[in-house]
Amino acid sequence: MKASILAITLMSLFTKDIAKESPDMPAGSWNNNQVIAHRGAWKKNKLPENSIASLNEAIRIGCYGSEFDVHMTLDSVLVVNHDADFQGLHISKVTYQELLTKKLSNGERIPTLESYLKAGITQKRTKLILEIKPSNVSQEWDMELTSRSVAMVKKLKAEAWVDYISFGYDILQKVLAINPKAKVAYLKGDVPLEKLKQDGFYGADYHFSVYQKGEWFLKAKELGLTINAWTVNEVTDMEWLLKSKIEFITTNEPEVLLELIREKKK
């Protein structure tokens, strides 16, 4: 009888351990800070922007989130890169195999969205801030890019990790049409908070200079929206935004911002 009880107890503990590590489990408690690493944490250690190495560094140093940009190749492969061009190749005009002829400075190939997300969901502390880049191809192209991006997030069961941002308002509306529970924030800075709220957006993600005029922070809290500011690299701007109790700050200097937050908590 005792042996049976012991076996059941051990089985229960073993099952709990498996559950903790299961990739199907929802993400856990996110890092408690306002820091979103812009294109990953790349600058301090001279890592390639938007690389898996810079994502891993953002995770290692404890950022709340790591931002990255997504484009689509001629043969409909989703890749992570900031610009529409990758080392002289226009992403929408070449195949994925053509992109593989180039390498990042650390030897990595250009990440696919799939490989990037797979790397990001191995942990449960840093959010993945997915920016869908509007193209100069067509609206149909942008909608296809959007649909495929949301589908890839769903395929990998990465919804809990991923928030969406874009300069394309229609792109974010498409995300919500596919997944009404998705968190989306608009980047361009030309839409009032009331409109964002009406359309089901999570918040505003505007250049920090936009917030220097008007009662953005107070109004956002009244509406239940979040405020993110990009791209904030100077300490004085960071201090002002933290004093304003902003939810998120996107920066190329995540280490500096993390240290500033730590100092303020002492």
Side-chain angles (χ1 to χ4, degrees), residues 169 176 182-186 191-206 211 215-228 244-248:
Y169 205 85
L176 289 174
K183 292 181 177 179
V184 306
Y186 182 53
V191 173
L193 292 174
E194 291 85 355
K195 174 65 172 172
L196 299 179
K197 177 69 174 181
Q198 177 185 326
D199 289 342
F201 284 31
Y202 180 57
D205 190 348
Y206 296 163
Y211 305 127
E215 297 294 329
W216 289 92
F217 304 103
L218 179 62
K219 188 177 291 186
K221 285 177 173 55
E222 289 174 353
L223 293 171
L225 297 175
T226 60
I227 294 285
N228 184 23
S244 299
K245 300 191 183 303
I246 195 169
E247 283 81 15
F248 311 116

Side-chain angles (χ1 to χ4, degrees), residues 1-14:
M1 181 68 176
K2 288 182 179 180
S4 298
I5 293 172
L6 178 60
I8 292 169
T9 302
L10 289 172
M11 181 66 73
S12 174
L13 291 172
F14 180 67

Side-chain angles (χ1 to χ4, degrees), residues 33-38 63-67 129 205 228 248-252 254 257:
N33 58 62
Q34 294 93 335
V35 184
I36 296 177
H38 187 226
C63 295
Y64 169 82
S66 187
E67 182 266 355
I129 313 301
D205 190 348
N228 184 23
F248 311 116
I249 298 173
T250 298
T251 178
N252 292 329
L257 182 52

Side-chain angles (χ1 to χ4, degrees), residues 38-85:
H38 187 226
R39 309 175 198 171
W42 55 271
K43 188 174 180 181
K44 182 177 180 180
N45 295 313
K46 297 180 173 59
L47 299 170
E49 301 174 21
N50 270 313
S51 63
I52 289 177
S54 67
L55 166 63
N56 288 336
E57 181 65 5
I59 292 168
R60 187 191 71 80
I61 65 177
C63 295
Y64 169 82
S66 187
E67 182 266 355
F68 60 102
D69 309 277
V70 178
H71 299 265
M72 185 167 66
T73 66
L74 185 62
D75 53 343
S76 301
V77 177
L78 306 184
V79 294
V80 177
N81 192 64
H82 181 263
D83 297 330
D85 289 81

Side-chain angles (χ1 to χ4, degrees), residues 32-191:
N32 185 26
N33 58 62
Q34 294 93 335
V35 184
I36 296 177
H38 187 226
R39 309 175 198 171
W42 55 271
K43 188 174 180 181
K44 182 177 180 180
N45 295 313
K46 297 180 173 59
L47 299 170
E49 301 174 21
N50 270 313
S51 63
I52 289 177
S54 67
L55 166 63
N56 288 336
E57 181 65 5
I59 292 168
R60 187 191 71 80
I61 65 177
C63 295
Y64 169 82
S66 187
E67 182 266 355
F68 60 102
D69 309 277
V70 178
H71 299 265
M72 185 167 66
T73 66
L74 185 62
D75 53 343
S76 301
V77 177
L78 306 184
V79 294
V80 177
N81 192 64
H82 181 263
D83 297 330
D85 289 81
F86 177 68
Q87 298 187 22
L89 299 173
H90 198 285
I91 293 172
S92 65
K93 295 181 179 179
V94 299
T95 66
Y96 176 61
Q97 287 302 314
E98 289 176 273
L99 291 178
L100 293 182
T101 63
K102 309 283 187 177
K103 289 185 180 180
L104 297 172
S105 61
N106 66 345
E108 282 185 41
R109 307 287 188 181
I110 185 172
T112 62
L113 175 59
E114 182 170 12
S115 64
Y116 195 96
L117 291 175
K118 284 181 176 178
I121 63 175
T122 59
Q123 52 78 49
K124 300 181 180 181
R125 299 288 289 169
T126 297
K127 293 274 278 187
L128 308 177
I129 313 301
L130 193 168
E131 180 175 348
I132 301 175
K133 285 288 192 179
S135 71
N136 292 320
V137 182
S138 66
Q139 186 182 35
E140 290 75 17
W141 182 280
D142 292 349
M143 293 302 100
E144 182 68 13
L145 165 60
T146 303
S147 296
R148 286 179 178 272
S149 296
V150 177
M152 181 59 70
V153 172
K154 182 178 180 181
K155 172 187 172 183
L156 298 179
K157 300 180 181 179
E159 290 96 338
W161 282 260
V162 174
D163 293 351
Y164 297 89
I165 59 176
S166 183
F167 282 95
Y169 205 85
D170 56 344
I171 285 173
L172 296 173
Q173 289 178 310
K174 178 70 171 179
V175 171
L176 289 174
I178 300 169
N179 178 10
K181 294 182 179 179
K183 292 181 177 179
V184 306
Y186 182 53
L187 290 166
K188 199 170 182 180
D190 60 350
V191 173

